[in-house]
């Protein structure tokens, strides 16, 4: 996993092979803060999620979903079109009206990227620069954008960020004052009671480190300078270390020298 700084928040790239569990969790009576939800969900699953974020748009008065949701096989709303489904609660896939039959599914409001191309629709009331919660999938990765409401991004900016990070498909979720999350590299609490949440548990305890180089850091196929170069990292990139030996660290895409990594 790696993360980049973006608009006062982070855009995470998580290999789907690193996910232990991912799913939708309905808030208590459809009205719960992320702080309360974390405690409750940790008891349900045996430990707290590595990511927990607000999910669907909802009506403040009735607490009914205003964007599509399927939870535990129960359809709360399913009318709009595209979204992201969690068919085995270990992977995330882009889906049309949950046509994969997943027990958990969250609809787009709106679609940001489809088939590696930016979508241009901006529903009324969510334009401008604001906090954003968004999910994407591509190249075997789950992409998670978590941007606090203090700075935020416009939808066109967010679309371009997902494209640049390798998203083939991406969706926007509820934002603005509803934006709230726990994440490995920073939390944000708005205090608003929202309707539901998306939780992600990783298989291994996260060991995040920041790249400190003048130019770039080579990613190699093996733990040594003679191994084939398979990619690059840049100063300020954040990566999750999976293994460390003989001065080299294994990340999801290969090996890098530990000399240029600093503990977060």
């Amino acid at each position: 996993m790696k993360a980049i700084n973006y608009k006062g928040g982070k855009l995470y790239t998580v290999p789907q092979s690193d996910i232990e569990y991912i799913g939708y969790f309905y808030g208590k009576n459809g009205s719960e803060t992320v702080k309360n939800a974390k405690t409750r969900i940790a008891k349900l699953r045996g430990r707290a999620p590595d990511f927990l974020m607000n999910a669907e748009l909802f009506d403040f008065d009735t607490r009914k979903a205003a964007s599509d949701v399927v939870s535990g096989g129960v359809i709360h709303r399913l009318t709009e079109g595209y979204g992201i489904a969690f068919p085995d609660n270990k992977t995330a896939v882009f889906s049309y009206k949950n046509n994969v039959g997943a027990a958990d599914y969250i609809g787009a409001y709106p679609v940001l990227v489809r088939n590696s191309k930016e979508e241009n629709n901006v529903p009324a009331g969510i334009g401008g620069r604001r906090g954003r919660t968004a999910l994407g999938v591509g190249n075997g990765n789950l992409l998670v954008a978590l941007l606090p409401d203090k700075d935020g991004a416009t939808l066109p900016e967010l679309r371009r960020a997902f494209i640049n990070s390798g998203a083939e498909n991406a969706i926007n979720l509820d934002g603005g004052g509803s934006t709230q999350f726990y994440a490995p590299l920073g939390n944000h609490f708005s205090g608003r009671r929202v309707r539901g949440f998306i939780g992600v548990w990783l298989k291994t305890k996260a060991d995040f480190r920041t790249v400190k180089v003048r130019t770039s850091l080579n990613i190699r196929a093996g733990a040594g300078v003679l191994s084939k170069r398979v990619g690059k990292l840049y100063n300020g990139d954040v990566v999750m270390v999976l293994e460390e030996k003989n001065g080299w660290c294994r990340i999801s895409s290969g090996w890098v020298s530990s000399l240029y990594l600093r503990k977060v």
Side-chain angles (χ1 to χ4, degrees), residues 183-194:
L185 296 175
N187 308 322
H188 177 67
F189 312 121
S190 69
R192 178 175 291 178
R193 294 180 178 274
V194 298

Side-chain angles (χ1 to χ4, degrees), residues 243-258:
E243 177 185 356
E244 185 171 7
K245 67 177 183 180
N246 301 325
W248 289 82
C249 292
R250 182 170 66 87
I251 61 176
S252 60
S253 52
W255 290 82
V256 295
S257 172
S258 61

Side-chain angles (χ1 to χ4, degrees), residues 22-86:
I22 181 170
Y24 171 86
F25 295 85
Y26 183 49
K28 189 175 182 180
N29 299 318
S31 181
E32 192 171 18
T33 67
V34 72
K35 287 186 176 181
N36 288 343
K38 182 184 180 184
T39 300
R40 180 176 60 84
I41 292 169
K43 291 179 181 178
L44 290 174
R45 295 281 310 157
R47 67 181 178 94
D50 294 281
F51 292 87
L52 185 66
M53 68 205 79
N54 61 293
E56 75 273 21
L57 194 74
F58 61 97
D59 184 288
F60 276 88
D61 296 324
T62 66
R63 311 307 292 185
K64 289 183 178 180
S67 55
D68 288 352
V69 178
V70 178
S71 175
V74 176
I75 296 175
H76 293 220
R77 185 177 188 272
L78 193 58
T79 62
E80 293 296 331
Y82 290 98
I84 289 183
F86 312 118

